Amino acid sequence: MKGKICILLAVIFAQLPVQAVAQGNLSQAEIHGIFESLNYAYRGQKGIARQVQWNEYRLRFDDHFDSVFSDLQIPGINSQTDEGYLRYQNGPVSIRAGRIRPTFGFADWSELVYNPIALRPIVRAVALSGSIGVSNQASGPEITLSHQNFQLQLAVLDTKLSDLQLIGEKHDHIMARAQITEGSTIVGLNLMSGAAKTDKVYGIDARWTAPHLQIRGELIRGEDNPNGGDGYYVDCFYRLPGFPRTQLAMRRETFMVSHYDTRTVVNTLGIRHVVCPYLTLTLNYVWGDHLDGSSYVSGHGEGGWIFAPLVQIRF
């Protein structure tokens, strides 16, 4: 029943921009996009070992309505829709519906990719509780309410989607985020809960920004005995004075699954340089404990050097 209601709301919601454009001026509509190719070269492997292609299209109907569609491709392995949603914004209220990245912590593509650390944090790359992973694509309606320095986000989601699915069928997960900003510091509290009492993930994130410097981190824990997990990471980004295109970084992260008695520890040093609007180069050195693959360290291998050029074309 809940799933049918969400589908009905999505269909009704989808008609709103059509009416808005029909009543307004079509010349206000704008479309923008970006094509990206992320390439990864690891120690001990010749050439590019892995490639990720990401494309995004944004269509703005007027001052209140826009839509976003993006797809993610790993050539020879997988192709899937990343996001596909419709959004309405009016002052402190924002509503979107469709396939989305749940706003759990630092979840936006720009927060994950546009920094000197080439790989995602481990705690964001795995399922921490049953089928819940904080970076999993989901589908459903989400509302964001803002007041001065406080923001609240609520969503009802289907977290089990096929690769190309836009509209969910079983909206049995709830996601909530509360965020407060105080000066140069932003702190967020996050919760994603499923139908089962033990099927939940919660976390806290914080970010502090100063000239040339940013420090951010997340602590995330999943409850699903005996398969829950927890971990944290802390990033430090520093932009060299006089060299606005060059940024240095350091990350410390840990991760552990409940039924393992060892905790994976990963350290990363990185440098990122924007060569031109179309090319960005990232170089990392990774080391730590228990980087043997059995600790869910996807992409890290046994550590060492990682070279990650990023090619971008915007329109």
Side-chain angles (χ1 to χ4, degrees):
M1 183 64 181
K2 188 187 295 184
K4 293 181 179 179
I5 293 175
C6 289
I7 293 175
L8 178 61
L9 288 174
V11 171
I12 295 174
F13 188 50
Q15 301 303 313
L16 295 178
V18 177
Q19 298 175 10
V21 173
Q23 296 172 4
N25 189 346
L26 285 173
S27 63
Q28 296 181 16
E30 298 179 353
I31 185 169
H32 301 280
I34 182 171
F35 304 132
E36 293 189 356
S37 176
L38 295 91
N39 305 274
Y40 300 89
Y42 305 112
R43 183 188 71 174
Q45 300 184 26
K46 294 183 179 180
I48 298 299
R50 186 165 68 100
Q51 183 183 60
V52 177
Q53 296 174 355
W54 183 76
N55 309 307
E56 182 186 70
Y57 312 88
R58 291 180 175 267
L59 174 61
R60 175 167 290 280
F61 300 99
D62 56 25
D63 292 337
H64 300 295
F65 288 97
D66 70 339
S67 63
V68 174
F69 180 84
S70 58
D71 65 272
L72 188 65
Q73 302 176 39
I74 304 177
I77 299 178
N78 187 31
S79 177
Q80 67 178 43
T81 301
D82 183 36
E83 291 189 296
Y85 62 82
L86 181 66
R87 178 170 53 191
Y88 169 77
Q89 299 180 88
N90 189 356
V93 179
S94 175
I95 303 173
R96 62 176 182 165
R99 183 173 176 131
I100 64 175
R101 286 175 173 267
T103 50
F104 191 111
F106 303 124
D108 189 78
W109 180 263
S110 62
E111 294 173 318
L112 295 172
V113 175
Y114 304 149
N115 66 73
I117 306 297
L119 301 177
R120 283 188 301 172
I122 308 168
V123 73
R124 296 200 62 89
V126 299
L128 295 173
S129 178
S131 62
I132 300 180
V134 297
S135 292
N136 286 3
Q137 278 76 15
S139 179
E142 177 194 76
I143 183 169
T144 301
L145 304 173
S146 302
H147 178 67
Q148 296 180 356
N149 63 341
F150 180 76
Q151 186 179 81
L152 178 66
Q153 293 174 298
L154 299 170
V156 181
L157 303 171
D158 180 351
T159 63
K160 297 180 180 179
L161 304 178
S162 63
D163 287 342
L164 303 178
Q165 185 177 355
L166 293 179
I167 304 299
E169 299 175 357
K170 189 177 181 181
H171 298 77
D172 57 358
H173 285 67
I174 296 174
M175 199 224 71
R177 173 177 172 81
Q179 176 181 292
I180 188 168
T181 303
E182 188 63 40
S184 57
T185 303
I186 301 174
V187 178
L189 299 175
N190 309 280
L191 171 67
M192 189 178 295
S193 179
K197 293 183 179 180
T198 58
D199 192 13
K200 65 177 63 175
V201 175
Y202 50 89
I204 181 172
D205 59 84
R207 171 168 40 202
W208 175 77
T209 304
H212 305 289
L213 178 66
Q214 182 181 105
I215 299 175
R216 70 176 190 180
E218 286 190 85
L219 172 63
I220 305 174
R221 180 177 178 82
E223 292 186 0
D224 185 18
N225 294 326
N227 298 315
D230 69 88
Y232 76 85
Y233 69 94
V234 177
D235 291 337
C236 180
F237 303 139
Y238 180 70
R239 196 174 298 279
L240 295 172
F243 298 89
R245 293 185 176 185
T246 303
Q247 192 175 29
L248 306 178
M250 180 174 63
R251 171 179 290 169
R252 169 79 171 186
E253 60 181 313
T254 75
F255 176 75
M256 183 175 180
V257 178
S258 297
H259 60 277
Y260 279 79
D261 59 358
T262 58
R263 179 171 290 274
T264 295
V265 178
V266 183
N267 305 287
T268 306
L269 292 177
I271 182 170
R272 180 175 187 257
H273 180 70
V274 179
V275 179
C276 66
Y278 310 105
L279 178 63
T280 301
L281 303 179
T282 298
L283 182 65
N284 288 178
Y285 184 76
V286 181
W287 77 99
D289 299 325
H290 307 294
L291 305 185
D292 56 4
S294 64
S295 301
Y296 300 86
V297 193
S298 175
H300 290 80
E302 296 180 355
W305 293 101
I306 300 175
F307 178 58
L310 168 64
V311 178
Q312 295 175 307
I313 300 177
R314 298 176 182 269
F315 65 89

